[in-house]
Amino acid sequence: MACMLLSLNKTKITTPSTSLAFPWFNLQNTPNFLGFPRKTFQKTSIKCSSVSSLTPHELEETLDNYEGEEERPLSESWEEIQGCNDWEGLIDPLNSHLRKEIIRYGEFAQACYDSFDFDPHSKYCGTCKYQGAHFFEKLDMRDYGYQISRYLYATSNINLPNFFQKSKLSSVWSIHANWMGYVAVTTDEEEIKRLGRRDIVIAWRGTVTYLEWIYDLKDILCSANFTNDPSIKIESGFYDLYTKKEGSCTYCTFSAREQVLAEVKRLLDYYRGEELSISVTGHSLGAALAILSAYDIAEMGLNYMEDGDNEDSRPKIPITVYSFAGPRVGNLKFKERCDELGVKVLRVINVHDKVPTVPGILANEKFQFQKYMEDTISFPWSYAHVGVELALDQTQSPFLKHTNDISCAHNLEAHLHLVDGYHGKGQDQFRLVTKRDIALVNKCCDFLKSDYGVPPNWRQDENKGMVRNGEGRWVLPDRPRVEAHPAETAHHLDQIFKIVRSTPASLNHDH
């Protein structure tokens, strides 16, 4: 992700009208939900000014000119990069387009951390620091060509207490809700042309309190209830986080699930007829939510366009998950159903990270008799990973120090650093390709070797968000209140479930 250590070059671009991109309000005549800007913006071209304080010799050894650059533009190969062939031949060695896309989607997930208020002394603890209109601008991601279409919230009244951030103050923005991420859509025409389609991104927040939430996982599976097959099961804590709501809280009157489904339906209706993709990303527990929500979208049939005379002829929008350091989500039946639905999942892991090994320590996809145990004796603690794995090894990077700090192995920025230097299995030489600034690794951990002069845990708001008021006093300013949910949320949900109810059970299950 771009940061204060990167140099910025700015050029003007022309962008489409924001009011066209977000049809549920008119920017000129209605209140500005999430505060979208009413003017075009400067496109920011971000380039690394340096790779920290490396010597010329070290630069020569670790920066790679990479002669294997993909000849075809991304716009011509995007379906393969999104996993239509399960990334066959693209991981070993790592395809140049795929490397950049993994990092790009990882930065969308990292944005959830960089924008989240973790401060227990703030009355805004548990929410996003920025208005939707300024979200990507504040994170130096203005040039990515996306705009926020809605924020996502979940109720903290579930069986994952260590995941949620609570303020220690009595006066808070919400006693029940936590900000969970966002939905964004490509609006810049240049970026749409580069990608070869308009992309809808769903990014889920994880947690920086490593492993504490893992201890709350009881390995208890429950039926997903998104279909008429009760044998498809997911971990109960993930299910609660995704589906529970709280009627007394404005932000949680709709569950996270309902918020996602309604927004995807709205965007797909509006952009009907265009080339589209749905990309879901998350780190840690956010990776679990990414897989769960991608499965849900596919199970509900939302990724089938309403063109064509019958189910088989309707165009299908690809759904791809970029999962980082994620745990297992469901049982083997869940994994098999994701495969049937065509949900493509690329799981990026660090082999020294323990989170991807849970839950399902006793029975998982590596166990020879897992299917027998599920089908015959209904073993209740059976879990399976979904998708294709890209396994990284932190010991291959000459920039990272040897440490027993398990939070370093789990860190998302460290994963993106390892993706930049990865070239394939059995290739021990670590060479940075995109020249992503290694200082980003130490944003919220202490993983870089001290030789590079990057302080640990360096990222924070200037003056921790305090500003001087007109009387010369230092205060934490009030933040503009963000609208909880667009008015059409209930309408789009009603449309979804009306379609599902009218679909014969066999078609709903098999598509």
Side-chain angles (χ1 to χ4, degrees), residues 378-394:
S378 299
F379 188 70
W381 301 287
S382 174
Y383 284 82
H385 270 307
V386 181
V388 176
E389 180 178 276
L390 172 57
L392 309 169
D393 186 343
Q394 67 191 51

Side-chain angles (χ1 to χ4, degrees), residues 246-264:
E246 174 60 54
S248 64
C249 175
T250 305
Y251 294 92
C252 300
T253 52
F254 296 100
S255 67
R257 179 196 185 204
E258 291 171 334
Q259 295 166 48
V260 168
L261 293 180
E263 188 61 16
V264 169

Side-chain angles (χ1 to χ4, degrees), residues 348-353 390-402 408-409 414-415 417-419 421-430 447:
V348 182
I349 69 161
N350 178 357
V351 296
H352 300 278
D353 181 18
L390 172 57
L392 309 169
D393 186 343
Q394 67 191 51
T395 64
Q396 299 297 317
S397 171
F399 301 96
L400 305 180
K401 63 185 179 183
H402 298 287
C408 290
H415 278 68
H417 166 71
L418 294 173
V419 170
Y422 176 83
H423 290 267
K425 296 178 182 177
Q427 299 189 31
D428 294 337
Q429 190 172 2
F430 187 93
F447 205 0

Side-chain angles (χ1 to χ4, degrees), residues 369-384:
F369 302 105
Q370 183 183 26
K371 188 171 180 61
Y372 171 82
M373 291 179 67
E374 282 196 19
D375 293 344
T376 307
I377 64 176
S378 299
F379 188 70
W381 301 287
S382 174
Y383 284 82

Side-chain angles (χ1 to χ4, degrees), residues 281-295:
T281 185
H283 169 258
S284 191
L285 192 145
L289 291 172
I291 292 176
L292 180 53
S293 56
Y295 156 73

Side-chain angles (χ1 to χ4, degrees), residues 93-110:
L94 189 59
N95 175 275
S96 60
H97 283 321
L98 181 57
R99 182 194 312 276
K100 293 172 184 176
E101 288 300 276
I102 293 172
I103 292 174
R104 190 171 69 93
Y105 285 110
E107 289 172 342
F108 282 122
Q110 179 66 38

Side-chain angles (χ1 to χ4, degrees), residues 25 66 77 119 131 278 298 319 465 478 481 504:
F25 66 91
Y66 202 61
S77 60
D119 185 2
Q131 292 285 98
I278 300 172
I319 302 175
D478 289 333
R481 186 175 179 83

